[in-house]
Amino acid sequence: NAGVTQTPKFQVLKTGQSMTLQCAQDMNHEYMSWYRQDPGMGLRLIHYSVGAGITDQGEVPNGYNVSRSTTEDFPLRLLSAAPSQTSVYFCASSRTSGLSTQYFGPGTRLTVL
Amino acid sequence: AQSVSQHNHHVILSEAASLELGCNYSYGGTVNLFWYVQYPGQHLQLLLKYFSGDPLVKGIKGFEAEFIKSKFSFNLRKPSVQWSDTAEYFCAVDINQGGKLIFGQGTELSVKP
């Protein structure tokens, strides 16, 4: 199993550009989520999904969209990038939403100029 | 709003010293508790977790943590640290077992050889 994979590893955007961060897992996990990591703030939940076709907002959803058309994939879309979205983004998955361990991907480091 | 607090932002120890990292959360209901570690340049890995049962849980690499419900705490301990333990450590709480992790700010541990 590859586990949780994320692409790209690094990305530089200009303000106003859009892009999609990819996340995939091959463990048949129902639950997937996106976090952003900023210095001194730990990780904060952006969006999550409890299964294909079901998504919901986390703590910091503004400026981001998600969809879950398959169990395996959970892309994160930045609609119009802003410097405040400069961060490291982690995708995670777990078997279910509760009483499960979340496994994290390697992260995408995004810089918005 | 629920929150997780890690008391130490940066801890510096010599090899063989004992380690205790504090973690407190603000929620009176059912919680699942986690400690994750992030080695330099890598993604988060699970150290240990508590769902129920024995409040003293053992994890990988000699780490352990104790859940004290009356103190809303889940402190991480290791009797003797090694240089390879240099990393950032995150406490995380899953409130109501819904899968939405709330992370502490992180504690950076530097171990001097």
Side-chain angles (χ1 to χ4, degrees), chain A residues 31 33 35 37 40-45 48 50 57-58 90 97-107, chain B residues 9 32 34 36 38 41-46 49 51 88 90 94 97-106:
Chain A
Y31 186 85
S33 54
Y35 292 85
Q37 182 183 24
M41 302 187 73
L43 281 77
R44 292 178 293 168
L45 182 65
Y48 65 97
V50 298
Q57 297 181 350
F90 289 99
S97 58
L99 293 177
S100 287
T101 299
Q102 293 195 31
Y103 297 91
F104 285 80
Chain B
H9 295 299
N32 294 334
F34 304 84
Y36 283 88
Q38 186 177 31
Q42 297 189 25
H43 61 285
L44 276 78
Q45 301 172 39
L46 181 71
K49 62 188 179 186
F51 287 168
E88 190 158 17
F90 293 94
D94 177 4
Q97 300 174 348
K100 297 193 287 185
L101 294 180
I102 301 174
F103 281 83
Q105 306 94 319

Side-chain angles (χ1 to χ4, degrees), chain B residues 16-58:
Chain B
S18 64
L19 170 72
E20 181 161 2
L21 301 182
C23 173
N24 285 89
Y25 62 93
S26 61
Y27 182 70
T30 302
V31 294
N32 294 334
L33 300 159
F34 304 84
W35 275 98
Y36 283 88
V37 61
Q38 186 177 31
Y39 297 103
Q42 297 189 25
H43 61 285
L44 276 78
Q45 301 172 39
L46 181 71
L47 267 182
L48 47 78
K49 62 188 179 186
Y50 173 81
F51 287 168
S52 63
D54 189 344
L56 183 62
V57 293
K58 295 190 183 301

Side-chain angles (χ1 to χ4, degrees), chain A residues 45-74:
Chain A
L45 182 65
I46 305 172
H47 285 285
Y48 65 97
S49 169
V50 298
I54 307 170
T55 64
D56 206 346
Q57 297 181 350
E59 181 185 355
V60 288
N62 292 342
Y64 307 95
N65 271 1
V66 292
S67 59
R68 184 100 179 266
S69 56
T70 67
T71 300
E72 295 79 18
D73 301 298
F74 191 44

Side-chain angles (χ1 to χ4, degrees), chain A residues 62-95:
Chain A
N62 292 342
Y64 307 95
N65 271 1
V66 292
S67 59
R68 184 100 179 266
S69 56
T70 67
T71 300
E72 295 79 18
D73 301 298
F74 191 44
L76 178 72
R77 281 183 287 277
L78 280 70
L79 309 172
S80 177
S84 61
Q85 294 178 304
T86 293
S87 188
V88 181
Y89 291 85
F90 289 99
C91 179
S93 76
S94 60
R95 189 173 52 83

Side-chain angles (χ1 to χ4, degrees), chain A residues 3-62:
Chain A
V4 181
T5 58
Q6 292 182 237
T7 56
K9 290 187 178 180
F10 302 95
Q11 183 70 49
V12 179
L13 293 177
K14 295 181 180 178
T15 297
Q17 288 184 313
S18 63
M19 81 159 294
T20 299
L21 307 185
Q22 301 291 345
C23 173
Q25 52 89 12
D26 61 359
M27 298 175 282
N28 200 31
H29 284 172
E30 290 183 359
Y31 186 85
M32 296 185 74
S33 54
W34 277 101
Y35 292 85
R36 59 177 289 173
Q37 182 183 24
D38 301 293
M41 302 187 73
L43 281 77
R44 292 178 293 168
L45 182 65
I46 305 172
H47 285 285
Y48 65 97
S49 169
V50 298
I54 307 170
T55 64
D56 206 346
Q57 297 181 350
E59 181 185 355
V60 288
N62 292 342

